[in-house]
């Protein structure tokens, strides 16, 4: 288990969080077009994962905007992963003009569990 802080309280995840620079575990998520997207689809590219619970919160929205801006300046692909439905992700990205990130939904996958991100407390 990893220990993280939420609103000043220590809570635990279901596993260890991936280490910086470690090889990311394979996954299959759902894109805005409702098609499956695999980590392997981005092979050979510098890929950054930004993972948030939902883009219906101010903090997660600010994160998405920041990554979108930075992605436009980098030679990297930024995968914006959340549990939001693909429709909601697409609507948010279009409304915010987020063109440099790839929204991916984990709603029908074990992504959170596989990456040790599920909160158990």
């Amino acid at each position: 288990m990893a220990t993280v802080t939420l609103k000043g309280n220590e809570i635990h995840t279901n596993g260890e969080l991936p280490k910086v620079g470690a090889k990311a575990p394979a996954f299959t998520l759902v894109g805005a077009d409702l098609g499956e997207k695999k980590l392997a689809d981005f092979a050979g590219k510098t890929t950054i994962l930004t993972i948030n619970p939902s883009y219906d919160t101010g903090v997660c929205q600010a994160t998405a905007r920041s990554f979108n801006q930075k992605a436009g300046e980098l030679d990297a692909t930024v995968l914006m992963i959340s549990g939001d439905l693909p429709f909601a992700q697409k609507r948010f990205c279009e409304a915010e003009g987020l063109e440099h990130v790839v929204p991916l939904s984990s709603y029908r996958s074990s992504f959170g569990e596989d990456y040790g991100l599920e909160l158990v407390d």
Side-chain angles (χ1 to χ4, degrees):
M1 274 190 220
T3 302
V4 296
T5 304
L6 178 64
K7 294 185 177 184
N9 299 310
E10 285 190 355
I11 54 176
H12 299 93
T13 65
N14 67 310
E16 292 302 319
L17 302 177
K19 303 291 182 210
V20 174
K23 183 174 179 170
F27 60 73
T28 302
L29 300 172
V30 180
D33 63 356
L34 302 180
E36 289 188 343
K37 304 289 187 231
K38 299 177 184 218
L39 179 59
D41 296 339
F42 304 95
K45 302 174 184 175
T46 300
T47 306
I48 299 167
L49 309 182
T50 175
I51 305 161
N52 286 282
S54 173
Y55 291 101
D56 282 334
T57 67
V59 171
C60 295
Q61 290 172 357
T63 299
R65 289 183 200 106
S66 178
F67 270 98
N68 182 69
Q69 179 184 2
K70 290 177 174 125
E73 302 165 0
L74 301 172
D75 184 23
T77 301
V78 175
L79 306 181
M80 192 175 85
I81 302 168
S82 77
D84 295 308
L85 293 174
F87 306 106
Q89 290 179 328
K90 182 177 181 180
R91 187 172 45 249
F92 170 70
C93 288
E94 287 176 352
E96 294 290 328
L98 305 183
E99 300 175 346
H100 305 294
V101 294
V102 178
L104 297 174
S105 175
S106 66
Y107 86 99
R108 64 177 185 203
S109 77
S110 59
F111 178 82
E113 181 180 347
D114 297 344
Y115 271 66
L117 301 172
E118 289 186 354
L119 303 179
V120 296
D121 295 337

